[in-house]
Amino acid sequence: MKISIILASYDSGHYHGGMGRGPDALIAGGLVDALTLSGHDVVVTDIGRVGDEQQREIATGFAVCGAVSGEVRIAIDRGRFPIVLAGNCLTSAGAVAGEDADAIIWADQHGDLNTPETSIFGFLDGMALATVLGLCWKPMASAIPGFRPIDPARCVLVNARDLDPAETELLKTLPVIRTECPDWATACGRLKAPDAKRVHLHLDLDVHDPGALQANRYTTPGGPEPKQLRQAVCGMAGLLPISGITISAYDPAFDAQAEVPPLVGELLSELLATMEKG
């Protein structure tokens, strides 16, 4: 398979800061080699510095989305499958736009469903999925080339176990499909029923059980172990047309033994092999 890996090395508007160091760390940890050894033709593109010099979180975050949308579109036009390595979850809005995705699987320990009106901490990434679903930041999101919000009924939220009260209340009113990692098949079957044609897969690495794998500072007990996640993702890939992947929120400062990069390589290698089998 021809693959384009797109680096978006930002965390809260800061280039190569915090989780913004994750994309380079995954590459340095052998991700390209792992995929190449699995038989894939891999190219790497870095969006570099975008946004304003003041590194304002909101302005820069959406500028990153715009840049990612363009690179994803180029990759697809060249017959390449896009994999975005991002510091922040909001970046998936750019990947969704570039792919013209009509459904999304969001694997994350958090709901990312806050809005500016409900957010307790004002953390933009905590509003990432809400943005993708068209619930907030509408003028900013509409400026992302190709962006169209995804219908909440075409969203699968996986292993979200750390929810703010407002997110819990919002989920009672939305047709979002919630599931846990071992039971993705049922949820994906519900996505397939309305004939989803382009499904974006968003994997925040803190979806893992932190006792088995810690990807960043945010830890909430529960979640799948790496092998469980690989099995679930591969099972899902056999059911749905995956149009692209975002891997987000890896902070190498919290991975002293560098355990995350090889596990990401294994996950993507197995997932892509499943996709190739059709």
Side-chain angles (χ1 to χ4, degrees):
M1 183 182 293
K2 293 182 178 180
I3 297 168
S4 180
I5 295 179
I6 299 161
L7 310 184
S9 305
Y10 279 85
D11 183 358
S12 302
H14 298 288
Y15 187 52
H16 282 155
M19 294 182 294
R21 294 179 294 173
D24 281 349
L26 291 172
I27 296 297
L31 180 57
V32 174
D33 291 339
L35 295 179
T36 301
L37 287 172
S38 296
H40 303 291
D41 175 0
V42 184
V43 297
V44 179
T45 302
D46 192 333
I47 68 167
R49 289 187 176 275
V50 299
D52 59 20
E53 294 180 357
Q54 295 158 322
Q55 300 187 82
R56 293 175 295 179
E57 180 183 16
I58 298 170
T60 302
F62 281 96
V64 169
C65 290
V68 165
S69 173
E71 292 297 338
V72 166
R73 181 73 64 181
I74 290 170
I76 292 172
D77 288 346
R78 293 176 176 172
R80 291 186 171 274
F81 181 80
I83 298 174
V84 178
L85 305 182
N88 288 142
C89 295
L90 180 67
T91 308
S92 276
V96 163
E99 296 163 26
D100 194 22
D102 58 9
I104 192 164
I105 297 170
W106 195 274
D108 196 323
Q109 73 164 318
H110 305 100
D112 292 347
L113 282 166
N114 278 304
T115 68
E117 292 77 22
T118 65
S119 177
I120 298 172
F121 302 106
F123 185 35
L124 184 61
D125 237 28
M127 311 177 208
L129 181 54
T131 301
V132 170
L133 300 182
L135 305 179
C136 63
W137 298 112
K138 296 179 183 180
M140 301 289 283
S142 66
I144 302 170
F147 179 79
R148 292 188 298 170
I150 288 176
D151 183 340
R154 288 177 172 243
C155 171
V156 176
L157 180 59
V158 185
N159 277 106
R161 58 193 184 273
D162 185 5
L163 300 173
D164 291 339
E167 293 178 302
T168 299
E169 291 303 311
L170 179 62
L171 282 168
K172 293 177 182 178
T173 71
L174 293 176
V176 168
I177 303 163
R178 296 193 64 185
T179 189
E180 300 296 314
C181 186
D183 189 34
W184 283 29
T186 300
C188 291
R190 290 174 63 187
L191 265 193
K192 188 176 182 180
D195 194 26
K197 294 181 174 61
R198 293 174 300 280
V199 183
H200 183 72
L201 175 61
H202 170 90
L203 296 175
D204 181 323
L205 292 175
D206 69 17
V207 72
H208 289 97
D209 180 349
L213 186 74
Q214 184 171 349
N216 56 42
R217 72 179 69 238
Y218 306 106
T219 57
T220 303
E225 296 183 356
K227 183 178 180 180
Q228 292 175 313
L229 184 68
R230 285 200 307 274
Q231 290 174 339
V233 167
C234 291
M236 169 273 306
L239 297 172
L240 295 170
I242 305 301
S243 56
I245 301 170
T246 298
I247 306 285
S248 73
Y250 172 45
D251 186 342
F254 292 84
D255 181 26
Q257 303 302 314
E259 296 176 303
V260 171
L263 289 172
V264 170
E266 290 177 27
L267 184 154
L268 289 175
S269 294
E270 291 185 24
L271 171 59
L272 294 169
T274 303
M275 291 172 58
E276 285 186 310
K277 291 177 183 177

